[in-house]
Amino acid sequence: MKKIFTLLFLALNLMLFSQQIESFETILNDKISIRAVELYDNKVWYNGTDSKFGFVDLKNNTNQKQIKLSEKKLQFRTLAQNKDAFYAINIESPAHFFRIDKKDLSVINIYTDTLKTAFYDALIFVNDEHAVAFSDPAKDLNLKLSFIMPKLNSILDFNTLTKREGFNSIKLNEGEAAFAASNTNIAHQGTNILIATGGKSSRIIKIDYTTLKSNIYKTPFVQGESAQGMYSIDFANQNFGVAVGGDYTKQEANINNIATTNDGGKTWKVRASGKNAGYMTCVKIKPDSKGKEMIAVGDQHISYSSDFGKTWKKISDEKGFYVCKWVDKNTVVLAGKDKISLLKLKF
């Protein structure tokens, strides 16, 4: 009987982790660190160090182009798009908000944040007419949130707006910030945006961008040190979401570094603690899987879950990836240190 249960358990594991790598192809090699990618027109678009911005054709990787967003050697970790253009913000001060036209790749600087503490961690479009970006807080610990309005090529500062409308600014705890790791510690569902923080506190900030009302939720994620906390979040719908991260300085550490929520970010349950490959910088839920299947990358591995994040399997020891994005149900684009790769999975 014991042998029968063992065989059934092994068979179940094989069913849960039935995906295999069909092919793994590097489609871009360059001296660049890439932490943000977008998909458009059958191409993967990227930006990174040394002000580099460009694309690689997913059907024919010899078709590629790269431009410079600035003559200065700026570092970019954010990238987002609407139907007309891409938008990118460099980290560190002064922070320049760039618009790159999709038709001719012309570049304009629509805004510059000169605050000395400016350090923009993430950028996302919530609809075609509005994007949201946030920066590390200033000394007053107020969350610095900005609304980009593409039609007007203008920026609206959240703290100024909230004071004008009578709402309180969102204050972070001492030592709490966010990680500009893969442009994925921000998500949106319906009229809400969700921001994952880390450091001495790792919490979820949930803001209704139509009313500007906000809530902050505690999480059981590893936290307390400057490099600990949530690095990436993704949502399948308004209820189910996943968060990954850990400790960048101790990448093998795998305690309390994965969690899921079933109530839109209010409460979180730790998953696979002590039973995963360690620090992860980006997680993406497979399209149309309702959250059941997801892939995540860390500096040292690529991992997969096929049971709503409850258990994880390392599917590759490939190193140096910081960001991933599903191209379709079987294909994932990955980018990071000096490369962009295309991973095809067989199920």
Side-chain angles (χ1 to χ4, degrees), residues 2-20:
K2 185 177 180 180
K3 287 183 178 180
I4 292 173
F5 278 120
T6 301
L7 288 172
L8 286 172
F9 180 76
L10 289 172
L12 179 62
N13 274 339
L14 287 173
M15 289 175 65
L16 285 173
F17 295 114
S18 60
Q19 78 289 334
Q20 300 176 14

Side-chain angles (χ1 to χ4, degrees), residues 84-238:
D84 299 316
F86 295 98
Y87 289 78
I89 312 167
N90 64 284
I91 59 172
E92 301 174 335
S93 180
H96 303 287
F97 288 55
F98 289 98
R99 179 190 188 276
I100 306 101
D101 192 277
K102 286 183 173 179
K103 290 181 179 178
D104 58 10
L105 299 188
S106 58
V107 180
I108 59 172
N109 184 352
I110 63 172
Y111 176 73
T112 298
D113 187 342
T114 58
L115 193 68
K116 289 184 178 179
T117 55
F119 194 103
Y120 280 83
D121 300 293
L123 167 65
I124 192 172
F125 268 87
V126 295
N127 54 49
D128 208 50
E129 297 181 357
H130 295 92
V132 178
F134 71 94
S135 166
D136 284 354
K139 292 181 180 179
D140 60 6
L141 295 179
N142 281 325
L143 177 69
K144 186 166 179 56
L145 201 70
S146 298
F147 291 87
I148 302 173
M149 295 171 288
K151 281 189 176 180
L152 302 175
N153 280 340
S154 62
I155 309 296
L156 197 60
D157 181 77
F158 176 76
N159 290 334
T160 301
L161 181 66
T162 52
K163 288 174 184 176
R164 189 181 72 197
E165 299 293 341
F167 293 104
N168 293 323
S169 297
I170 299 171
K171 277 198 176 290
L172 301 184
N173 292 329
E174 188 73 38
E176 179 184 15
F179 301 111
S182 61
N183 198 50
T184 58
N185 55 3
I186 188 171
H188 79 94
Q189 286 297 331
T191 62
N192 291 303
I193 57 171
L194 298 97
I195 296 170
T197 68
K200 291 189 176 180
S201 294
S202 188
R203 304 184 295 172
I204 291 289
I205 300 169
K206 192 171 185 177
I207 306 166
D208 187 319
Y209 56 82
T210 61
T211 65
L212 300 183
K213 292 184 178 179
S214 61
N215 290 286
I216 303 179
Y217 304 111
K218 294 181 180 179
T219 76
F221 231 82
V222 59
Q223 55 197 280
E225 301 293 335
S226 61
Q228 294 178 340
M230 292 178 285
Y231 278 71
S232 177
I233 56 175
D234 197 22
F235 280 78
N237 49 54
Q238 293 194 44

Side-chain angles (χ1 to χ4, degrees), residues 25 30 83 222 254 285 288 303 315 327:
E25 179 186 11
D30 188 24
K83 64 181 179 63
V222 59
N254 62 358
I285 293 171
D288 299 324
S303 292
I315 61 173
V327 177

